[in-house]
Amino acid sequence: MAISRLDKLLSQSGERTRSEAAKLIRAGRVSVDGAAQTDPAYKTDAAESAVLLDGQRIEDTPYQYVMLHKPAGVVSASRDTKAETVMRFLPEAMRARRVMPVGRLDKDTTGLLLLTNDGRLSHRLLAPKTHVWKEYLVTVDGPLTTEHAAAFARGVQLGDFTALPAQLHIESASAAESRALVKLREGKYHQVKRMILKFGLQVTTLHRLAFGPLKLDIPPGEYRALDDMEIEALYLAAGMDRDGRHG
Ligand code: URA
């Protein structure tokens, strides 16, 4: 984990500047593993030691970015009064830092779900004009044809709106069941299911393989932190740079 100066650590969350942090440290309001530390340049590893400001724990980084392999049967919400949520797969420390799902997968949909407490990034990734590609493996209860693929490419008309041109790559097709890869740039409610329903077919399984630059590479029910390159790539996909300025 990263070793950092105390003043840097305290300013990382964005709640105070480096010089405000230094003042707090000099005032004796910060302790490391139970002992007061008054030197702003004191170096510590916040993941290993307890750094407290006025008795409150300071973490080593303000933001968390996590990929979860969502299993079926849980809802993509931070809380729900009736159903179990995806939060049960994350450790308590992460939940306490208000990590939340970026968008939703239906309860019966499996696959890649991004979670973060970086509200600006989340907001931008979900904005209707930000067109992040999502890739799904879909099974339907009947024959998919090249006509369906052509309709996807033109943009399927759904009651209240016309979906942006999308891709349907048929992997197998029979009268009883077909399998296809779907790639689309929107994330409207039940979008894939509604697009398929336009052809008189029903989705029987739906699994998200990719979200923008992220590719699912962990087993069901597991999560992992994103690496720096993945976070940079997400920012790029959202049209932002790491300082949050819109590109
Ligand atoms: N489209 C759907 O219909 N459901 C999902 O969960 C995701 C995309």
Side-chain angles (χ1 to χ4, degrees):
M1 269 311 206
I3 308 243
S4 171
R5 284 172 55 116
L6 265 189
D7 56 355
K8 183 160 179 230
L9 197 62
L10 258 73
S11 61
Q12 249 171 5
S13 65
E15 289 170 56
R16 60 195 73 80
T17 63
R18 190 93 165 239
S19 62
E20 286 165 352
K23 266 190 209 153
L24 293 170
I25 297 161
R26 284 198 202 93
R29 289 170 60 182
V30 174
S31 68
V32 178
D33 292 330
Q37 274 302 340
T38 53
D39 180 3
Y42 180 83
K43 290 208 170 89
T44 189
D45 183 344
E48 297 292 322
S49 45
V51 179
L52 272 59
L53 166 64
D54 295 335
Q56 297 292 312
R57 181 103 192 218
I58 298 286
E59 303 287 355
D60 62 337
T61 165
Y63 295 129
Q64 306 260 310
Y65 306 85
V66 176
M67 157 193 305
L68 171 75
H69 186 154
K70 178 192 172 300
V74 288
V75 299
S76 310
S78 51
R79 64 175 70 121
D80 192 286
T81 47
K82 285 178 248 137
E84 198 162 37
T85 76
V86 290
M87 303 312 282
R88 66 163 284 221
F89 299 102
L90 301 186
E92 174 51 32
M94 212 172 263
R95 281 181 276 171
R97 292 170 78 175
R98 299 179 180 278
V99 164
M100 305 209 180
V102 177
R104 283 172 181 249
L105 289 177
D106 296 336
K107 191 171 177 185
D108 56 355
T109 300
T110 58
L112 198 166
L113 185 66
L114 169 66
L115 297 105
T116 184
N117 55 357
D118 182 341
R120 280 184 305 180
L121 177 65
S122 180
H123 185 78
R124 268 297 280 248
L125 285 170
L126 295 175
K129 62 177 188 210
T130 309
H131 299 307
V132 178
W133 282 103
K134 290 122 192 153
E135 191 175 328
Y136 298 89
L137 193 58
V138 57
T139 317
V140 308
D141 65 351
L144 282 172
T145 68
T146 51
E147 274 170 38
H148 299 141
F152 261 59
R154 282 194 301 270
V156 175
Q157 170 70 44
L158 296 171
D160 46 343
F161 78 109
T162 305
L164 285 173
Q167 298 172 20
L168 179 77
H169 299 286
I170 300 165
E171 292 195 336
S172 65
S174 75
E177 186 178 278
S178 305
R179 234 169 93 99
L181 271 178
V182 168
K183 283 180 80 173
L184 45 83
R185 290 175 288 168
E186 292 162 300
K188 298 243 168 48
Y189 185 61
H190 290 336
Q191 185 157 347
V192 175
K193 290 174 183 168
R194 289 166 68 198
M195 288 166 85
I196 295 289
L197 201 57
K198 273 295 274 198
F199 309 143
L201 299 171
Q202 286 217 346
V203 168
T204 48
T205 67
L206 186 59
H207 177 71
R208 186 151 74 188
L209 296 165
F211 179 89
L214 306 180
K215 309 258 179 274
L216 186 68
D217 56 6
I218 46 175
E222 292 199 3
Y223 76 92
R224 73 167 175 84
L226 302 187
D227 64 30
D228 260 359
M229 274 172 59
E230 289 172 319
I231 299 165
E232 287 293 340
L234 274 178
Y235 264 79
L236 199 66
M240 298 168 79
D241 68 25
R242 274 307 262 284
D243 298 329
R245 289 189 300 269
H246 295 179

